[in-house]
Amino acid sequence: MKPCTRYAASLLFATGLACGGDEGPGDPPYEKLSDWGFFEGDLVDQRPAADVIGYTVAAPLWADFAGKGRYMRLPPGGKIGYVDQDPWSFPDETIFIKTFFFDTDRSDDANTARIVETRLLVLEDTGWESYIYVWDDAQREATRVKGGADVDIEYVDSSGQAQTQLYLVPDQNTCGDCHARDDVAFVLGPITHQLNVDAPADAAMQGNQIDLFSELGLFEGAVAPAATLPAFAQPAGGGDLDARARAYLHGNCSHCHRPGGGGGPSGLSFLAWEQTPAKYGVCKVPAAAGGGAGGRRVDIAPGDPEGSIVLFRMQSVDPEIKMPELPSLLSDDFGVELIREWITALPDPPCE
Amino acid sequence: MTIGVKLCSLFATLVLASCTADGSNLPDGCDIYVEPSVDDQTTLAEAFVDAEDGMTVCLAAGEFKPTRQLTLDSNGVTLKGAGPEQTIIDFALQETGGNGLLVKGDDVTLVDFAVHNTPGDGIRVDQVDNILFERVHVIWEALHSLDNGAYGLYPVQANGVTIRACQVVGARDAGIYVGQSTNILVEDSIAHDNVAGIEIENSTDAIVRRNEAYDNTAGVLVFNLPGLDVKDGKRCNVYENNLHDNNVDNFADPGTVVGIVPPGVGMLVLAADATEVHDNLISNNRSVGVAVIAYSSESMLFKPPTDPEYDIYSEGNFIHDNTYTTNGADPDALVLLLTGSVNPSPDIIFDGCFGADKNNTSGALSNCVAEADTVRFMDADLCAQGMGISTDRAPVTCTQAPLPAE
């Protein structure tokens, strides 16, 4: 028999911690979220430490009603390598922090958020590594999990009824299903188009985020004024329909549907800067959609949302059919209506 | 929320199940060992996270019931069960993910286990170098169900695919599907009660040998389709297979290309080049033994492709030395339409379409037949480039250079 591996040892270690053992924090990745020191005061208040910067994105990924707090920590003196189009480059030891929370009383405007998980992407010498922390009921601490967790979210809906929603915290390997292309992991939100919007209302500094990053000296070299740089329309905003729809599709689909991504072999690309309509699905015949085609013949049939595979898959909750495949369980009604409106408005010479 | 409590009990279970502190329960040859438990989703996901490059993850005999897609992303990992009828991962309760297993690491070996009842695809392997499936079964227990997943074994954009002694039953598209890949060996495997038994699509340098495909809609498909990253599939050597009784009604999604394949097809070459089909037993397929067709809108099956780099023609294919028994005895209506209602329909049908502007003085683009005189052949002249439907073998009596057999 072989001697026991590190696997068993780490499990025993995890058992001790999860069951209330009181070891020191050890080396990263820490077992407790608080050990990273991202936040000051009570962890639940998510008050960024001096070296942590909150930000937002123009076109967020739908996550089953979860709200998200987004933060970034650069190493001391570390600079971001800016490019107009993705990907930006980041110095080693950069950490992205994303906290997922739910409004537990949707019948009023009061802040009744419950935080469920916090995900980290840490740039190590092996590339971006993911670590996931699940929050306790008391909202005091979050503990690292590798294998994911099923969480029942109890909430009061807008009509005052008590409801329960299943929310899936992904396992660690699932992170790469969205973040990796050609075996290399990337951050998805922090690109020019997504960050070229105003900072969140509760952020310490107000104004356009790219301009703020410039002022803070976060970029390597000079970056032009944000107004001259590419930007996504906010999908729920009041801008041009085509721009809002393409931004939505980028934020929700392009992590897979782009060359090198998990959906790359289908030939479909939802990068917002893809200019060839056939490549973003217009009159495109699916390659291997299986039941996902739903009897529809093309990904996007201009003027015919009900004849478009894209809309069919966005509305489904069947694991075989639904898009995006991961990790959500619920359809995004807002996104469905936006894409329906967009397909309806596309000029419609019929697909051959 | 009871995460903390749940984790404790779960870790305790796993530690007991896998390995004591001195490792006395870890079987030889295993770096990680997982047994069925009350929370297979977490134990399997943890094991896959902990599987570092080169490790062997062993699955005990028994039935695992995960609820999500499981991703294996390290390189050189072996995932090993106790046998395809002993170790079963049943995904009937799966809530999320388009596949049962998703493999993204290079040089992975999957051996001796079964995947059952995935809502989507069985085992997808995405953009890797070298994947070996050996004695792996993918089974949907509800035969011909519209709820079955599309693909069983599903490597895509891989270089170096070996599928050996595997079995796929019930796929709503292709049981064994290799797409956009190179250097492929599919051997000694069984595919039945799928729409397509075995499909090689947009792939180059494949060997498909000694397999049995029966009770599918079609036994073996060699396809080239438009609009994909990897184009121009060629050189698939299909030999010593037993392709029989592929007469199941097509239960694929009507929106898919495979959804148009008529029932009763032994083997179909669509827009693929330099396929060699030889020394196979092809019997009791009610529409046709072997068909070679273009992705042509003349057939009314396909819309004109928008992909400018795509070549619609099947060229340089070579059909020889196969044994045919009672094929075409009850041809599907679509086949009758193509053949001018000849009944029984021929053993071999070519659509007769060719690229008129191409230079074929060497004959390398010709589709050739070298079969016994008793084998019935038809050129359906679908593109109206010939003199109408013809059963004359003389124009297709030629040979192409044999492909490597190993």
Side-chain angles (χ1 to χ4, degrees), chain A residues 7-20 31 132 143-148, chain B residues 3-20 33 37-39 42-43 45-47 49-50:
Chain A
Y7 174 67
S10 71
L11 274 178
L12 290 168
F13 181 57
T15 308
L17 283 171
C19 297
E31 289 301 319
I132 300 174
T143 302
R144 187 174 162 216
V145 299
K146 291 189 283 189
Chain B
I3 290 290
V5 174
K6 189 172 164 190
L7 284 174
C8 281
S9 60
L10 190 138
F11 278 122
T13 308
L14 189 58
V15 168
L16 288 175
S18 57
C19 153
T20 57
Y33 182 59
S37 74
V38 293
D39 186 0
T42 309
T43 55
E46 288 248 5
V49 169
D50 286 321

mmCIF file of all heavy atoms in Angstrom, chain A residues 7-20 31 132 143-148, chain B residues 3-20 33 37-39 42-43 45-47 49-50:
data_model
loop_
_atom_site.group_PDB
_atom_site.id
_atom_site.type_symbol
_atom_site.label_atom_id
_atom_site.label_comp_id
_atom_site.label_asym_id
_atom_site.label_seq_id
_atom_site.Cartn_x
_atom_site.Cartn_y
_atom_site.Cartn_z
ATOM 1 N N TYR A 7 -3.720 14.533 -0.290
ATOM 2 C CA TYR A 7 -5.160 14.689 -0.410
ATOM 3 C C TYR A 7 -5.844 14.433 0.929
ATOM 4 O O TYR A 7 -6.588 15.247 1.447
ATOM 5 C CB TYR A 7 -5.675 13.704 -1.457
ATOM 6 C CG TYR A 7 -7.163 13.657 -1.589
ATOM 7 C CD1 TYR A 7 -7.860 14.756 -2.089
ATOM 8 C CD2 TYR A 7 -7.879 12.523 -1.219
ATOM 9 C CE1 TYR A 7 -9.218 14.711 -2.226
ATOM 10 C CE2 TYR A 7 -9.250 12.482 -1.357
ATOM 11 C CZ TYR A 7 -9.919 13.576 -1.855
ATOM 12 O OH TYR A 7 -11.267 13.544 -1.987
ATOM 13 N N ALA A 8 -5.498 13.279 1.493
ATOM 14 C CA ALA A 8 -6.140 12.930 2.760
ATOM 15 C C ALA A 8 -5.724 13.919 3.846
ATOM 16 O O ALA A 8 -6.528 14.338 4.669
ATOM 17 C CB ALA A 8 -5.763 11.523 3.161
ATOM 18 N N ALA A 9 -4.463 14.290 3.804
ATOM 19 C CA ALA A 9 -3.991 15.231 4.824
ATOM 20 C C ALA A 9 -4.772 16.547 4.743
ATOM 21 O O ALA A 9 -5.222 17.083 5.743
ATOM 22 C CB ALA A 9 -2.508 15.485 4.626
ATOM 23 N N SER A 10 -4.967 17.019 3.529
ATOM 24 C CA SER A 10 -5.668 18.300 3.407
ATOM 25 C C SER A 10 -7.117 18.159 3.834
ATOM 26 O O SER A 10 -7.704 19.069 4.388
ATOM 27 C CB SER A 10 -5.571 18.824 1.968
ATOM 28 O OG SER A 10 -6.370 18.044 1.112
ATOM 29 N N LEU A 11 -7.678 16.993 3.607
ATOM 30 C CA LEU A 11 -9.050 16.781 4.040
ATOM 31 C C LEU A 11 -9.158 16.829 5.556
ATOM 32 O O LEU A 11 -10.054 17.427 6.115
ATOM 33 C CB LEU A 11 -9.552 15.413 3.570
ATOM 34 C CG LEU A 11 -10.123 15.401 2.174
ATOM 35 C CD1 LEU A 11 -10.527 13.991 1.814
ATOM 36 C CD2 LEU A 11 -11.312 16.329 2.109
ATOM 37 N N LEU A 12 -8.207 16.170 6.189
ATOM 38 C CA LEU A 12 -8.235 16.156 7.651
ATOM 39 C C LEU A 12 -8.087 17.572 8.182
ATOM 40 O O LEU A 12 -8.778 17.991 9.102
ATOM 41 C CB LEU A 12 -7.114 15.266 8.196
ATOM 42 C CG LEU A 12 -7.344 13.778 7.933
ATOM 43 C CD1 LEU A 12 -6.080 12.988 8.224
ATOM 44 C CD2 LEU A 12 -8.507 13.267 8.771
ATOM 45 N N PHE A 13 -7.199 18.315 7.534
ATOM 46 C CA PHE A 13 -6.987 19.705 7.903
ATOM 47 C C PHE A 13 -8.296 20.489 7.751
ATOM 48 O O PHE A 13 -8.741 21.184 8.656
ATOM 49 C CB PHE A 13 -5.901 20.269 6.986
ATOM 50 C CG PHE A 13 -5.547 21.701 7.240
ATOM 51 C CD1 PHE A 13 -5.115 22.107 8.487
ATOM 52 C CD2 PHE A 13 -5.636 22.633 6.219
ATOM 53 C CE1 PHE A 13 -4.779 23.427 8.705
ATOM 54 C CE2 PHE A 13 -5.296 23.953 6.437
ATOM 55 C CZ PHE A 13 -4.867 24.347 7.686
ATOM 56 N N ALA A 14 -8.940 20.287 6.598
ATOM 57 C CA ALA A 14 -10.193 20.995 6.347
ATOM 58 C C ALA A 14 -11.245 20.594 7.374
ATOM 59 O O ALA A 14 -12.013 21.423 7.849
ATOM 60 C CB ALA A 14 -10.693 20.685 4.941
ATOM 61 N N THR A 15 -11.285 19.322 7.714
ATOM 62 C CA THR A 15 -12.258 18.854 8.690
ATOM 63 C C THR A 15 -12.071 19.593 10.003
ATOM 64 O O THR A 15 -13.015 20.102 10.593
ATOM 65 C CB THR A 15 -12.069 17.349 8.934
ATOM 66 O OG1 THR A 15 -12.080 16.709 7.679
ATOM 67 C CG2 THR A 15 -13.172 16.805 9.808
ATOM 68 N N GLY A 16 -10.811 19.659 10.402
ATOM 69 C CA GLY A 16 -10.525 20.330 11.665
ATOM 70 C C GLY A 16 -11.039 21.765 11.644
ATOM 71 O O GLY A 16 -11.713 22.198 12.562
ATOM 72 N N LEU A 17 -10.772 22.451 10.546
ATOM 73 C CA LEU A 17 -11.181 23.848 10.489
ATOM 74 C C LEU A 17 -12.696 23.980 10.420
ATOM 75 O O LEU A 17 -13.292 24.749 11.136
ATOM 76 C CB LEU A 17 -10.547 24.506 9.264
ATOM 77 C CG LEU A 17 -9.082 24.836 9.454
ATOM 78 C CD1 LEU A 17 -8.484 25.276 8.149
ATOM 79 C CD2 LEU A 17 -8.901 25.900 10.522
ATOM 80 N N ALA A 18 -13.294 23.181 9.539
ATOM 81 C CA ALA A 18 -14.733 23.314 9.355
ATOM 82 C C ALA A 18 -15.466 22.949 10.637
ATOM 83 O O ALA A 18 -16.553 23.425 10.891
ATOM 84 C CB ALA A 18 -15.200 22.423 8.214
ATOM 85 N N CYS A 19 -14.860 22.092 11.451
ATOM 86 C CA CYS A 19 -15.522 21.662 12.661
ATOM 87 C C CYS A 19 -15.111 22.520 13.842
ATOM 88 O O CYS A 19 -15.341 22.165 14.993
ATOM 89 C CB CYS A 19 -15.220 20.198 12.938
ATOM 90 S SG CYS A 19 -15.846 19.132 11.647
ATOM 91 N N GLY A 20 -14.473 23.613 13.617
ATOM 92 C CA GLY A 20 -14.244 24.553 14.693
ATOM 93 C C GLY A 20 -12.834 24.538 15.260
ATOM 94 O O GLY A 20 -12.550 25.169 16.265
ATOM 95 N N GLU A 31 -8.176 29.486 4.642
ATOM 96 C CA GLU A 31 -9.436 28.769 4.838
ATOM 97 C C GLU A 31 -10.577 29.731 5.143
ATOM 98 O O GLU A 31 -11.741 29.403 4.933
ATOM 99 C CB GLU A 31 -9.301 27.745 5.978
ATOM 100 C CG GLU A 31 -8.421 26.559 5.616
ATOM 101 C CD GLU A 31 -8.934 25.774 4.398
ATOM 102 O OE1 GLU A 31 -10.164 25.559 4.295
ATOM 103 O OE2 GLU A 31 -8.114 25.410 3.543
ATOM 104 N N ILE A 132 -13.138 29.712 -3.567
ATOM 105 C CA ILE A 132 -14.533 30.049 -3.292
ATOM 106 C C ILE A 132 -14.812 29.912 -1.805
ATOM 107 O O ILE A 132 -14.429 28.916 -1.173
ATOM 108 C CB ILE A 132 -15.473 29.123 -4.094
ATOM 109 C CG1 ILE A 132 -15.204 29.307 -5.594
ATOM 110 C CG2 ILE A 132 -16.935 29.414 -3.759
ATOM 111 C CD1 ILE A 132 -15.970 28.350 -6.469
ATOM 112 N N THR A 143 -16.080 30.462 4.658
ATOM 113 C CA THR A 143 -15.111 29.378 4.729
ATOM 114 C C THR A 143 -14.913 28.779 3.350
ATOM 115 O O THR A 143 -15.870 28.605 2.594
ATOM 116 C CB THR A 143 -15.627 28.280 5.683
ATOM 117 O OG1 THR A 143 -15.853 28.876 6.950
ATOM 118 C CG2 THR A 143 -14.610 27.155 5.830
ATOM 119 N N ARG A 144 -13.670 28.461 3.046
ATOM 120 C CA ARG A 144 -13.366 27.957 1.705
ATOM 121 C C ARG A 144 -14.000 26.584 1.466
ATOM 122 O O ARG A 144 -13.944 25.709 2.335
ATOM 123 C CB ARG A 144 -11.845 27.860 1.529
ATOM 124 C CG ARG A 144 -11.478 27.517 0.112
ATOM 125 C CD ARG A 144 -9.988 27.553 -0.162
ATOM 126 N NE ARG A 144 -9.781 26.804 -1.401
ATOM 127 C CZ ARG A 144 -8.740 26.029 -1.646
ATOM 128 N NH1 ARG A 144 -7.773 25.896 -0.763
ATOM 129 N NH2 ARG A 144 -8.659 25.374 -2.777
ATOM 130 N N VAL A 145 -14.594 26.420 0.289
ATOM 131 C CA VAL A 145 -15.061 25.104 -0.149
ATOM 132 C C VAL A 145 -14.457 24.828 -1.517
ATOM 133 O O VAL A 145 -14.279 25.730 -2.329
ATOM 134 C CB VAL A 145 -16.608 25.011 -0.229
ATOM 135 C CG1 VAL A 145 -17.245 25.256 1.117
ATOM 136 C CG2 VAL A 145 -17.169 25.963 -1.275
ATOM 137 N N LYS A 146 -14.151 23.569 -1.759
ATOM 138 C CA LYS A 146 -13.618 23.188 -3.070
ATOM 139 C C LYS A 146 -14.672 22.510 -3.928
ATOM 140 O O LYS A 146 -14.641 22.604 -5.142
ATOM 141 C CB LYS A 146 -12.426 22.240 -2.885
ATOM 142 C CG LYS A 146 -11.217 22.917 -2.279
ATOM 143 C CD LYS A 146 -9.992 22.028 -2.321
ATOM 144 C CE LYS A 146 -10.060 20.957 -1.239
ATOM 145 N NZ LYS A 146 -8.783 20.215 -1.129
ATOM 146 N N GLY A 147 -15.573 21.804 -3.275
ATOM 147 C CA GLY A 147 -16.517 20.956 -4.015
ATOM 148 C C GLY A 147 -17.871 21.594 -4.258
ATOM 149 O O GLY A 147 -18.811 20.917 -4.642
ATOM 150 N N GLY A 148 -17.992 22.889 -4.006
ATOM 151 C CA GLY A 148 -19.271 23.561 -4.236
ATOM 152 C C GLY A 148 -20.247 23.339 -3.096
ATOM 153 O O GLY A 148 -19.952 22.629 -2.123
ATOM 154 N N ILE B 3 -24.510 24.964 5.952
ATOM 155 C CA ILE B 3 -23.308 24.565 5.210
ATOM 156 C C ILE B 3 -22.253 23.943 6.119
ATOM 157 O O ILE B 3 -21.700 22.901 5.820
ATOM 158 C CB ILE B 3 -22.700 25.788 4.493
ATOM 159 C CG1 ILE B 3 -23.613 26.195 3.362
ATOM 160 C CG2 ILE B 3 -21.314 25.497 3.988
ATOM 161 C CD1 ILE B 3 -23.634 25.246 2.219
ATOM 162 N N GLY B 4 -21.996 24.622 7.227
ATOM 163 C CA GLY B 4 -20.916 24.159 8.099
ATOM 164 C C GLY B 4 -21.154 22.739 8.561
ATOM 165 O O GLY B 4 -20.288 21.874 8.430
ATOM 166 N N VAL B 5 -22.339 22.478 9.025
ATOM 167 C CA VAL B 5 -22.667 21.147 9.522
ATOM 168 C C VAL B 5 -22.551 20.109 8.413
ATOM 169 O O VAL B 5 -21.969 19.050 8.570
ATOM 170 C CB VAL B 5 -24.105 21.145 10.096
ATOM 171 C CG1 VAL B 5 -24.508 19.735 10.471
ATOM 172 C CG2 VAL B 5 -24.171 22.064 11.302
ATOM 173 N N LYS B 6 -23.071 20.512 7.272
ATOM 174 C CA LYS B 6 -23.059 19.588 6.144
ATOM 175 C C LYS B 6 -21.622 19.221 5.744
ATOM 176 O O LYS B 6 -21.302 18.070 5.492
ATOM 177 C CB LYS B 6 -23.778 20.258 4.973
ATOM 178 C CG LYS B 6 -24.036 19.357 3.796
ATOM 179 C CD LYS B 6 -24.915 20.109 2.812
ATOM 180 C CE LYS B 6 -24.895 19.420 1.463
ATOM 181 N NZ LYS B 6 -25.539 20.265 0.465
ATOM 182 N N LEU B 7 -20.775 20.248 5.739
ATOM 183 C CA LEU B 7 -19.390 19.998 5.354
ATOM 184 C C LEU B 7 -18.718 19.049 6.316
ATOM 185 O O LEU B 7 -17.990 18.162 5.926
ATOM 186 C CB LEU B 7 -18.610 21.315 5.296
ATOM 187 C CG LEU B 7 -18.902 22.161 4.049
ATOM 188 C CD1 LEU B 7 -18.204 23.492 4.173
ATOM 189 C CD2 LEU B 7 -18.447 21.439 2.809
ATOM 190 N N CYS B 8 -18.984 19.243 7.611
ATOM 191 C CA CYS B 8 -18.330 18.393 8.603
ATOM 192 C C CYS B 8 -18.676 16.942 8.383
ATOM 193 O O CYS B 8 -17.817 16.078 8.289
ATOM 194 C CB CYS B 8 -18.759 18.792 10.008
ATOM 195 S SG CYS B 8 -17.889 20.249 10.562
ATOM 196 N N SER B 9 -19.969 16.681 8.252
ATOM 197 C CA SER B 9 -20.366 15.284 8.122
ATOM 198 C C SER B 9 -19.809 14.721 6.826
ATOM 199 O O SER B 9 -19.377 13.586 6.744
ATOM 200 C CB SER B 9 -21.888 15.169 8.146
ATOM 201 O OG SER B 9 -22.422 15.900 7.074
ATOM 202 N N LEU B 10 -19.753 15.585 5.856
ATOM 203 C CA LEU B 10 -19.308 15.125 4.565
ATOM 204 C C LEU B 10 -17.816 14.834 4.540
ATOM 205 O O LEU B 10 -17.361 13.818 4.036
ATOM 206 C CB LEU B 10 -19.636 16.264 3.608
ATOM 207 C CG LEU B 10 -19.503 16.022 2.169
ATOM 208 C CD1 LEU B 10 -20.709 16.665 1.554
ATOM 209 C CD2 LEU B 10 -18.258 16.648 1.713
ATOM 210 N N PHE B 11 -17.071 15.730 5.122
ATOM 211 C CA PHE B 11 -15.625 15.477 5.191
ATOM 212 C C PHE B 11 -15.348 14.211 5.987
ATOM 213 O O PHE B 11 -14.529 13.390 5.607
ATOM 214 C CB PHE B 11 -14.903 16.655 5.844
ATOM 215 C CG PHE B 11 -14.627 17.775 4.892
ATOM 216 C CD1 PHE B 11 -15.101 19.044 5.135
ATOM 217 C CD2 PHE B 11 -13.896 17.550 3.744
ATOM 218 C CE1 PHE B 11 -14.827 20.073 4.258
ATOM 219 C CE2 PHE B 11 -13.620 18.578 2.851
ATOM 220 C CZ PHE B 11 -14.095 19.854 3.120
ATOM 221 N N ALA B 12 -16.080 14.061 7.058
ATOM 222 C CA ALA B 12 -15.862 12.883 7.893
ATOM 223 C C ALA B 12 -16.131 11.624 7.069
ATOM 224 O O ALA B 12 -15.358 10.673 7.081
ATOM 225 C CB ALA B 12 -16.771 12.935 9.111
ATOM 226 N N THR B 13 -17.217 11.649 6.330
ATOM 227 C CA THR B 13 -17.560 10.494 5.497
ATOM 228 C C THR B 13 -16.444 10.206 4.504
ATOM 229 O O THR B 13 -16.008 9.082 4.333
ATOM 230 C CB THR B 13 -18.839 10.798 4.686
ATOM 231 O OG1 THR B 13 -19.827 11.242 5.604
ATOM 232 C CG2 THR B 13 -19.324 9.564 3.958
ATOM 233 N N LEU B 14 -15.973 11.278 3.873
ATOM 234 C CA LEU B 14 -15.000 11.098 2.814
ATOM 235 C C LEU B 14 -13.684 10.573 3.378
ATOM 236 O O LEU B 14 -13.056 9.696 2.809
ATOM 237 C CB LEU B 14 -14.776 12.438 2.110
ATOM 238 C CG LEU B 14 -13.953 12.363 0.838
ATOM 239 C CD1 LEU B 14 -14.621 11.426 -0.155
ATOM 240 C CD2 LEU B 14 -13.809 13.732 0.232
ATOM 241 N N VAL B 15 -13.303 11.110 4.506
ATOM 242 C CA VAL B 15 -12.042 10.670 5.088
ATOM 243 C C VAL B 15 -12.129 9.187 5.438
ATOM 244 O O VAL B 15 -11.244 8.392 5.115
ATOM 245 C CB VAL B 15 -11.692 11.506 6.330
ATOM 246 C CG1 VAL B 15 -10.543 10.868 7.084
ATOM 247 C CG2 VAL B 15 -11.328 12.916 5.904
ATOM 248 N N LEU B 16 -13.232 8.814 6.035
ATOM 249 C CA LEU B 16 -13.396 7.406 6.374
ATOM 250 C C LEU B 16 -13.406 6.544 5.122
ATOM 251 O O LEU B 16 -12.804 5.496 5.060
ATOM 252 C CB LEU B 16 -14.710 7.201 7.142
ATOM 253 C CG LEU B 16 -14.699 7.735 8.568
ATOM 254 C CD1 LEU B 16 -16.081 7.598 9.180
ATOM 255 C CD2 LEU B 16 -13.651 7.020 9.391
ATOM 256 N N ALA B 17 -14.104 7.068 4.103
ATOM 257 C CA ALA B 17 -14.266 6.270 2.897
ATOM 258 C C ALA B 17 -12.972 6.184 2.118
ATOM 259 O O ALA B 17 -12.698 5.187 1.474
ATOM 260 C CB ALA B 17 -15.350 6.882 2.027
ATOM 261 N N SER B 18 -12.185 7.236 2.148
ATOM 262 C CA SER B 18 -11.075 7.267 1.213
ATOM 263 C C SER B 18 -9.792 6.745 1.820
ATOM 264 O O SER B 18 -9.131 5.913 1.240
ATOM 265 C CB SER B 18 -10.881 8.688 0.705
ATOM 266 O OG SER B 18 -10.666 9.556 1.776
ATOM 267 N N CYS B 19 -9.496 7.150 3.004
ATOM 268 C CA CYS B 19 -8.118 6.931 3.388
ATOM 269 C C CYS B 19 -7.935 7.350 4.831
ATOM 270 O O CYS B 19 -8.307 8.458 5.196
ATOM 271 C CB CYS B 19 -7.275 7.760 2.427
ATOM 272 S SG CYS B 19 -5.724 8.336 2.953
ATOM 273 N N THR B 20 -7.446 6.493 5.613
ATOM 274 C CA THR B 20 -7.177 6.873 6.987
ATOM 275 C C THR B 20 -5.863 7.631 7.045
ATOM 276 O O THR B 20 -5.176 7.758 6.031
ATOM 277 C CB THR B 20 -7.074 5.630 7.883
ATOM 278 O OG1 THR B 20 -6.052 4.797 7.342
ATOM 279 C CG2 THR B 20 -8.376 4.853 7.879
ATOM 280 N N TYR B 33 -9.309 8.104 -3.841
ATOM 281 C CA TYR B 33 -10.278 7.011 -3.928
ATOM 282 C C TYR B 33 -11.623 7.514 -3.440
ATOM 283 O O TYR B 33 -11.724 8.097 -2.369
ATOM 284 C CB TYR B 33 -9.795 5.852 -3.058
ATOM 285 C CG TYR B 33 -10.677 4.624 -3.076
ATOM 286 C CD1 TYR B 33 -10.946 3.953 -4.269
ATOM 287 C CD2 TYR B 33 -11.220 4.115 -1.894
ATOM 288 C CE1 TYR B 33 -11.729 2.815 -4.284
ATOM 289 C CE2 TYR B 33 -12.008 2.976 -1.904
ATOM 290 C CZ TYR B 33 -12.256 2.329 -3.103
ATOM 291 O OH TYR B 33 -13.039 1.207 -3.112
ATOM 292 N N SER B 37 -21.560 7.897 -1.660
ATOM 293 C CA SER B 37 -21.876 8.425 -0.340
ATOM 294 C C SER B 37 -23.219 9.133 -0.414
ATOM 295 O O SER B 37 -23.870 9.127 -1.455
ATOM 296 C CB SER B 37 -20.794 9.414 0.114
ATOM 297 O OG SER B 37 -20.941 10.641 -0.606
ATOM 298 N N VAL B 38 -23.598 9.784 0.651
ATOM 299 C CA VAL B 38 -24.864 10.519 0.640
ATOM 300 C C VAL B 38 -24.756 11.814 -0.164
ATOM 301 O O VAL B 38 -25.767 12.428 -0.480
ATOM 302 C CB VAL B 38 -25.334 10.869 2.074
ATOM 303 C CG1 VAL B 38 -25.690 9.603 2.821
ATOM 304 C CG2 VAL B 38 -24.273 11.669 2.809
ATOM 305 N N ASP B 39 -23.546 12.238 -0.485
ATOM 306 C CA ASP B 39 -23.385 13.480 -1.245
ATOM 307 C C ASP B 39 -22.324 13.272 -2.325
ATOM 308 O O ASP B 39 -21.218 13.794 -2.254
ATOM 309 C CB ASP B 39 -23.008 14.630 -0.306
ATOM 310 C CG ASP B 39 -22.961 15.977 -1.019
ATOM 311 O OD1 ASP B 39 -23.223 16.024 -2.246
ATOM 312 O OD2 ASP B 39 -22.656 16.980 -0.352
ATOM 313 N N THR B 42 -20.568 16.384 -4.037
ATOM 314 C CA THR B 42 -19.441 17.050 -3.384
ATOM 315 C C THR B 42 -18.207 16.164 -3.350
ATOM 316 O O THR B 42 -17.093 16.634 -3.600
ATOM 317 C CB THR B 42 -19.837 17.502 -1.975
ATOM 318 O OG1 THR B 42 -21.048 18.244 -2.060
ATOM 319 C CG2 THR B 42 -18.760 18.377 -1.366
ATOM 320 N N THR B 43 -18.371 14.876 -3.075
ATOM 321 C CA THR B 43 -17.172 14.029 -2.988
ATOM 322 C C THR B 43 -16.486 13.926 -4.350
ATOM 323 O O THR B 43 -15.255 13.987 -4.439
ATOM 324 C CB THR B 43 -17.506 12.618 -2.475
ATOM 325 O OG1 THR B 43 -18.522 12.040 -3.287
ATOM 326 C CG2 THR B 43 -17.966 12.660 -1.032
ATOM 327 N N ALA B 45 -16.755 16.157 -6.892
ATOM 328 C CA ALA B 45 -16.206 17.473 -7.263
ATOM 329 C C ALA B 45 -14.919 17.738 -6.491
ATOM 330 O O ALA B 45 -13.931 18.221 -7.054
ATOM 331 C CB ALA B 45 -17.237 18.572 -7.006
ATOM 332 N N GLU B 46 -14.897 17.398 -5.213
ATOM 333 C CA GLU B 46 -13.676 17.566 -4.409
ATOM 334 C C GLU B 46 -12.534 16.723 -4.974
ATOM 335 O O GLU B 46 -11.397 17.182 -5.062
ATOM 336 C CB GLU B 46 -13.941 17.097 -2.974
ATOM 337 C CG GLU B 46 -14.817 18.025 -2.179
ATOM 338 C CD GLU B 46 -14.030 18.689 -1.069
ATOM 339 O OE1 GLU B 46 -12.799 18.482 -1.022
ATOM 340 O OE2 GLU B 46 -14.642 19.412 -0.269
ATOM 341 N N ALA B 47 -12.845 15.497 -5.313
ATOM 342 C CA ALA B 47 -11.796 14.611 -5.834
ATOM 343 C C ALA B 47 -11.237 15.163 -7.140
ATOM 344 O O ALA B 47 -10.028 15.132 -7.377
ATOM 345 C CB ALA B 47 -12.357 13.204 -6.049
ATOM 346 N N VAL B 49 -11.192 18.330 -8.030
ATOM 347 C CA VAL B 49 -10.390 19.520 -7.704
ATOM 348 C C VAL B 49 -9.024 19.087 -7.188
ATOM 349 O O VAL B 49 -7.989 19.658 -7.534
ATOM 350 C CB VAL B 49 -11.115 20.401 -6.676
ATOM 351 C CG1 VAL B 49 -10.183 21.491 -6.138
ATOM 352 C CG2 VAL B 49 -12.363 21.028 -7.294
ATOM 353 N N ASP B 50 -9.016 18.051 -6.369
ATOM 354 C CA ASP B 50 -7.763 17.608 -5.759
ATOM 355 C C ASP B 50 -6.875 16.810 -6.707
ATOM 356 O O ASP B 50 -5.704 16.579 -6.407
ATOM 357 C CB ASP B 50 -8.061 16.769 -4.513
ATOM 358 C CG ASP B 50 -8.535 17.635 -3.357
ATOM 359 O OD1 ASP B 50 -7.992 18.741 -3.199
ATOM 360 O OD2 ASP B 50 -9.442 17.214 -2.617
#
